[in-house]
C-alpha cells in the first residue's frame, strides 16, 4: 500500500470532500510502515475497506417553524465501521455540516473507539440545521423530524448515536423520546441521555475531564506540574466548560474561551464563579461569549481565535481546523509546552508539523477527547445491565481509560530520541485493533 495511491483513489471517487481526505491522509501516512509489514492486509485490500464507510444514509428533514413556515434540512448518518462493535458516534447540528465533515468524523471515530478498549464501531451523523436562535419548540420539532428519518437504521445493537456540536442533553432527550415512541422500545439507543432516563453520571463532563486526564499523563512524562499553568481554551460549549472545570480543580488557570463570533481573554483567570456564569449563559440563555467580557470587564476580540494570547497549554475545544500554521507558530513562539485537543481535528496538518518539529507535547483529538465516547460506552453497559454506577465509579474508569490510551500512544509512538509522536501512536494502536477484527471476520 502506498498512502499516496489511497489518497488519489479517494479524491477521484469522492471529490470535493477536503475534511474527509485530510483525516484519511493523516492516518494512512502514519500506518503505512506497519501496514506494509503485513502482506495479508494488502491481499485482503484492507485499506480500501477501512477508509470507505460501510454505509451512508441521507434523508430530507421537514419541520415547521414557530411562524408556521415549512422548513427543510438534510439529515445524514455515516456508519463507518462496525468490526469491533455496534456503530457509535455523535450527532452534529451545525450549518456547516456536510457529507465530507461527517465522513471525516466517522472515520476518526472508528480509531478513537478502538483506542478506548470498549466494543464500539465508528459512526457520525448530523444535519445542516443550526439551533442558533431557534426556540425550544422548534428544536424539539426538528429533533423529532430528524429521528423520523434515522430511526430505522439505529438501535441498541446496531448503532447508538450521542451528542456533538449543537447537540447536548436537551436534543438527545428529544431524539431519544421520539425513537422510543417509533421503535416501541425503551433501550439505550442514545447516550448522553438525562440522568432520569438512563444517562450515565459524568457523561456531560467526560470529554473535558478526559482531555485534562490525558494532558496530565503527557505532563508526567516531563515531570511538569499543571498547577499555576495558564491555559488557552477555545469554544465555550460542553467540552470547553468541563475542561475549565477540571483545570480549575487541579489549580491551573484557564484564561480564554471563545464561540463562533470571537474570544474573551481574562488574564486574572476564569474562576469557578465565572465558569458558572458561562454555563448559565451558554446552556440556559444560549447567549454569546461577548457577554462574559461585558460582565467581567475583560478583553473581547470579535472574529478571532485565542491563539495569539500567551499561555503554557492550549486546549482547542471548538471545531475542526481552528489552529493553522501561523497560529501554531505563534503558540510555540509564546512558549506553549503542550497542546491537547478536546475538539476533533482542530489543528491543520501544517500546525501539527509545527508542534511536532518543536517537540511540543501534542495530543490529537482521537486520543485526547476519547473520554466522551468512553463514558458513552459505559452508559451502554449500564443500560444493558439496567443499573447505574456512582459518579466516583465512572470517573475512576474514565481515568483508567485515558491513562491506558496514553500508554498505548507511547508504546506505538515513541521515537528514537524519546519524543512521543502521539498522532502515530494513536493511529497505529487504533488501526491494529480494527484491522485484526476485520481480518478475523472475512471479506465483507
Ligand atoms: P458545543 O456545541 O457544546 O460547543 C461548541 C463550541 O464551539 C461553541 O462554543 C461554538 O460556538 C464553537 N464553535 C462551533 N463551531 C464553530 C466554528 N465553526 N467556529 C468557531 N467556533 C465554533 O459542542 P461540543 O463542546 O460538544 O464540541 C466541541 C468539539 O469537541 C467538537 O469538535 C466536537 O466534535 C468535539 N467532541 C465533542 C464530544 C462531546 O462529548 N460533546 C466528544 C468528542 C469530541 P457557537 O456557540 O457560536 O456555535
Amino acid at each position: 500500500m502506498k498512502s499516496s495511491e489511497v489518497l488519489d483513489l479517494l479524491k477521484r471517487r469522492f471529490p470535493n470532500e477536503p475534511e474527509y481526505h485530510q483525516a484519511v491522509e493523516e492516518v494512512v501516512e502514519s500506518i503505512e510502515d506497519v501496514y506494509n509489514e503485513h502482506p495479508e492486509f494488502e491481499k485482503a485490500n484492507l485499506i480500501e475497506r477501512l477508509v470507505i464507510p460501510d454505509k451512508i444514509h441521507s434523508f430530507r428533514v421537514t419541520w415547521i417553524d414557530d411562524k408556521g413556515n415549512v422548513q427543510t434540512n438534510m439529515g445524514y448518518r455515516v456508519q463507518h465501521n462496525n468490526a469491533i462493535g455496534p456503530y457509535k458516534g455523535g450527532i452534529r447540528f451545525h450549518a456547516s455540516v456536510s457529507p465530507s465533515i461527517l465522513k471525516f468524523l466517522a472515520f476518526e471515530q472508528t480509531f478513537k473507539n478502538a483506542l478506548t478498549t470498549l466494543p464500539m464501531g465508528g459512526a457520525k451523523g448530523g444535519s445542516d440545521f443550526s439551533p442558533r436562535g431557534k426556540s425550544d419548540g422548534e428544536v424539539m420539532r426538528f429533533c423529532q423530524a430528524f429521528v423520523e428519518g434515522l430511526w430505522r437504521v439505529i438501535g441498541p445493537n446496531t448503532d447508538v448515536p450521542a451528542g456533538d456540536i449543537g447537540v447536548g442533553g436537551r436534543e438527545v432527550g428529544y431524539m431519544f423520546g421520539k425513537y422510543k415512541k417509533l421503535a416501541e422500545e425503551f433501550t439505550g439507543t442514545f447516550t448522553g441521555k438525562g440522568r432520569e432516563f438512563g444517562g450515565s453520571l459524568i457523561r456531560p463532563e467526560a470529554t473535558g475531564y478526559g482531555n485534562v486526564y490525558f494532558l496530565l499523563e503527557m505532563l508526567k512524562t516531563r515531570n511538569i506540574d499543571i498547577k499555576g499553568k495558564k491555559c488557552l481554551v477555545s469554544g465555550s460549549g460542553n467540552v470547553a466548560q468541563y475542561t475549565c472545570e477540571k483545570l480549575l480543580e487541579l489549580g491551573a488557570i484557564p484564561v480564554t474561551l471563545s464561540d463562533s463570533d470571537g474570544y474573551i481573554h481574562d488574564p486574572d483567570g476564569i474562576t469557578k464563579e465565572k465558569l458558572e456564569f458561562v454555563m448559565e449563559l451558554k446552556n440556559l440563555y444560549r447567549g454569546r461569549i461577548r457577554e462574559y467580557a461585558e460582565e467581567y470587564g475583560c478583553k473581547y476580540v470579535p472574529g478571532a481565535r485565542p491563539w495569539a494570547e500567551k499561555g503554557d497549554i492550549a486546549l482547542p475545544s471548538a471545531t475542526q481546523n481552528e489552529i493553522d500554521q501561523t497560529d501554531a507558530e505563534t503558540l510555540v513562539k509564546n512558549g506553549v509546552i503542550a497542546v491537547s485537543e478536546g475538539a476533533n481535528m482542530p489543528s491543520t496538518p501544517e500546525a501539527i508539523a509545527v508542534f511536532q518539529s518543536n517537540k511540543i507535547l501534542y495530543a490529537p483529538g482521537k486520543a485526547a477527547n476519547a473520554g466522551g465516547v468512553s463514558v458513552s460506552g459505559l452508559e451502554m453497559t449500564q443500560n444493558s445491565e439496567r443499573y447505574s454506577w456512582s459518579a466516583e465509579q465512572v470517573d475512576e474508569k474514565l481515568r483508567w481509560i485515558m491513562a491506558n490510551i496514553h500508554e498505548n500512544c507511547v508504546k506505538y509512538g515513541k521515537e528514537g530520541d524519546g519524543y512521543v509522536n502521539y498522532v502515530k501512536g494513536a493511529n497505529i494502536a487504533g488501526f491494529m485493533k480494527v484491522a485484526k477484527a476485520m481480518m478475523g471476520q472475512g471479506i465483507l
Side-chain angles (χ1 to χ4, degrees), residues 92-94 96 104-105 109 112 124 130 132 162-168 203-204 206-208 234-241 258-262 282-283 287-289 305 316-320 322 341-346 365 369-373 376:
R92 177 176 290 193
F93 292 163
H94 193 270
S96 64
F104 116 63
L105 289 164
Q109 194 80 45
K112 184 190 306 190
K124 203 84 186 189
S130 169
R132 193 168 165 178
D164 190 72
I165 291 177
V167 178
R203 177 60 190 91
T207 309
S234 67
S236 50
N238 171 271
V239 179
Q241 291 171 15
S258 70
D259 61 21
S260 46
D261 294 340
K282 285 286 170 183
N283 309 345
R288 311 307 303 157
I289 202 63
R305 290 165 175 156
S317 308
T319 194
Q320 63 276 352
E322 56 169 318
E341 296 182 341
N344 284 308
M345 210 168 75
N369 72 31
V373 76
S376 273

Side-chain angles (χ1 to χ4, degrees), residues 351-363:
I352 297 171
V354 172
F355 296 139
Q356 292 184 330
S357 61
N358 284 281
K359 309 283 175 195
I360 303 294
L361 292 169
Y362 166 73

Side-chain angles (χ1 to χ4, degrees), residues 113-404:
N113 293 2
L115 285 172
T116 66
T117 69
L118 303 173
M120 300 180 289
K124 203 84 186 189
S127 172
D128 56 358
F129 169 80
S130 169
R132 193 168 165 178
K134 304 289 190 304
S135 71
D136 194 51
E138 288 176 324
V139 170
M140 182 183 73
R141 290 194 294 281
F142 176 79
C143 287
Q144 293 175 338
F146 180 79
V147 169
E148 276 172 17
L150 182 72
W151 76 279
R152 285 183 194 282
V153 299
I154 59 174
N157 298 311
T158 318
D159 183 350
V160 182
D164 190 72
I165 291 177
V167 178
R170 174 181 63 163
E171 291 76 14
V172 168
Y174 292 149
M175 288 193 278
F176 172 78
K178 185 71 180 182
Y179 176 82
K180 186 191 69 169
K181 189 158 185 186
L182 290 169
E184 299 190 50
E185 60 173 37
F186 193 113
T187 52
T189 296
F190 283 82
T191 59
K193 300 183 289 297
R195 291 245 303 274
E196 305 74 15
F197 48 100
S200 176
L201 288 164
I202 306 291
R203 177 60 190 91
E205 294 88 345
T207 309
Y209 280 19
N211 188 17
V212 178
Y213 294 154
F214 195 93
L215 170 68
L216 287 177
E217 295 294 324
M218 289 204 295
L219 294 175
K220 220 180 347 176
T221 65
R222 294 190 183 174
N223 293 318
I224 300 171
D225 190 351
I226 196 167
K227 218 167 172 186
K229 295 288 177 297
K230 287 209 165 162
C231 299
L232 307 175
V233 180
S234 67
S236 50
N238 171 271
V239 179
Q241 291 171 15
Y242 288 106
T243 297
C244 287
E245 186 168 281
K246 187 52 79 177
L247 289 171
L248 285 170
E249 196 187 305
L250 297 169
I253 310 165
V255 291
T256 65
L257 282 172
S258 70
D259 61 21
S260 46
D261 294 340
Y263 78 88
I264 58 105
H265 180 228
D266 187 344
D268 299 335
I270 298 160
T271 58
K272 207 163 167 259
E273 179 215 343
K274 292 172 179 175
L275 180 60
E276 273 167 26
F277 171 84
V278 174
M279 288 183 170
E280 223 170 81
L281 174 74
K282 285 286 170 183
N283 309 345
L284 283 182
Y285 304 114
R286 310 207 177 256
R288 311 307 303 157
I289 202 63
R290 167 182 42 79
E291 295 168 56
Y292 178 105
E294 288 158 11
E295 179 76 12
Y296 296 109
C298 71
K299 179 167 93 175
Y300 171 67
V301 184
R305 290 165 175 156
W307 315 125
E309 301 297 340
K310 283 213 161 100
D312 305 300
I313 294 166
L315 298 124
S317 308
T319 194
Q320 63 276 352
N321 293 328
E322 56 169 318
I323 301 184
D324 63 17
Q325 183 177 345
T326 313
D327 297 325
E329 284 164 355
T330 309
L331 284 165
V332 170
K333 194 175 81 207
N334 285 341
V336 81
I337 50 176
V339 179
S340 202
E341 296 182 341
N344 284 308
M345 210 168 75
S347 307
T348 64
E350 297 78 21
I352 297 171
V354 172
F355 296 139
Q356 292 184 330
S357 61
N358 284 281
K359 309 283 175 195
I360 303 294
L361 292 169
Y362 166 73
K366 71 168 77 68
N369 72 31
V373 76
S374 299
V375 174
S376 273
L378 300 177
E379 184 169 320
M380 288 166 72
T381 307
Q382 293 169 80
N383 291 167
S384 303
E385 284 186 334
R386 300 201 190 284
Y387 192 66
S388 59
W389 300 328
S390 69
E392 292 71 28
Q393 282 172 302
V394 179
D395 197 34
E396 196 190 315
K397 288 186 194 339
L398 172 63
R399 273 175 188 263
W400 181 86
I401 289 170
M402 297 315 293
N404 190 265

